[in-house]
Amino acid sequence: MYPLRRTGLILALFLGLSGAAFAQGTALGFSGLKQDPGAPVEVTSETLSIDRDAGRAILEGDVLVIQGDMRLTAPRVEVIYGTEGQQIKEIHAQGGVTIVTAADAAEAREARYDVATGGLVMSGNVLLTQGPSTISGERMVADLRAGTGRMEGRVKTLFNTEPKAGN
């Protein structure tokens, strides 16, 4: 049971995406993580396989991870443990990944999160949406601890600065 709780907490760390961008191969600014690591975590999937000898757990089939206002969905999520077997080293979600917070959303074919470095790499038709603005590319590399990131590969940005009606 312990891998599920740690899986959800670590997955939640990379769900707090936000940023702005402005050109081809452009740098992104990520605001601080808005996640409450003490919030309860709910993980749902069709199957859960744990291989302690290989140091990994695999969740498959409509995987949904919820913590606070953040959600991650993917067909498959693999959790890779460090040498101690209890500390999570890396999270790899694939098959069409969606990460949603109260204000932002990110989509890609796959996402990898390195727990030790705070590095997040999303690849394959990446789409980052913040309010009315979007940025897309083939690969997004982010350092969530430093609050920096970069979108690469035919980057397209749509800045919608028009005020909403009633404002």
Side-chain angles (χ1 to χ4, degrees):
M1 184 72 177
Y2 72 88
L4 281 179
R5 187 175 357 214
R6 285 197 175 98
T7 299
L9 291 172
I10 299 305
L11 284 169
L13 287 177
F14 74 88
L15 296 176
L17 295 176
S18 68
F22 48 83
Q24 175 71 24
T26 203
L28 303 170
F30 288 85
S31 66
L33 294 174
K34 299 174 186 173
Q35 184 56 35
D36 176 6
V41 176
E42 180 181 333
V43 180
T44 306
S45 65
E46 295 298 322
T47 64
L48 167 63
S49 303
I50 298 174
D51 185 341
R52 287 188 178 190
D53 293 336
R56 62 186 70 226
I58 297 174
L59 298 112
E60 292 183 295
D62 297 323
V63 180
L64 172 62
V65 179
I66 301 170
Q67 185 175 34
D69 65 357
M70 292 195 278
R71 296 174 182 265
L72 175 134
T73 59
R76 184 178 194 272
V77 174
E78 180 178 9
V79 179
I80 302 162
Y81 294 94
T83 55
E84 296 81 37
Q86 292 193 15
Q87 187 174 23
I88 294 175
K89 179 180 175 184
E90 184 178 311
I91 305 286
H92 182 205
Q94 59 192 57
V97 181
T98 302
I99 299 170
V100 179
T101 67
D104 306 320
E107 299 175 8
R109 276 195 303 267
E110 69 177 291
R112 285 188 179 272
Y113 178 68
D114 184 309
V115 176
T117 66
L120 170 66
V121 177
M122 295 185 80
S123 59
N125 297 322
V126 180
L127 175 64
L128 176 63
T129 303
Q130 294 183 294
S133 300
T134 62
I135 182 168
S136 63
E138 276 304 306
R139 186 169 186 248
M140 182 178 73
V141 179
D143 181 336
L144 298 182
R145 292 191 181 152
T148 61
R150 181 173 177 85
M151 186 73 79
E152 303 169 344
R154 195 66 188 150
V155 177
K156 181 178 180 181
T157 305
L158 172 64
F159 291 108
N160 191 346
T161 58
E162 187 173 313
K164 293 181 180 178
N167 290 342

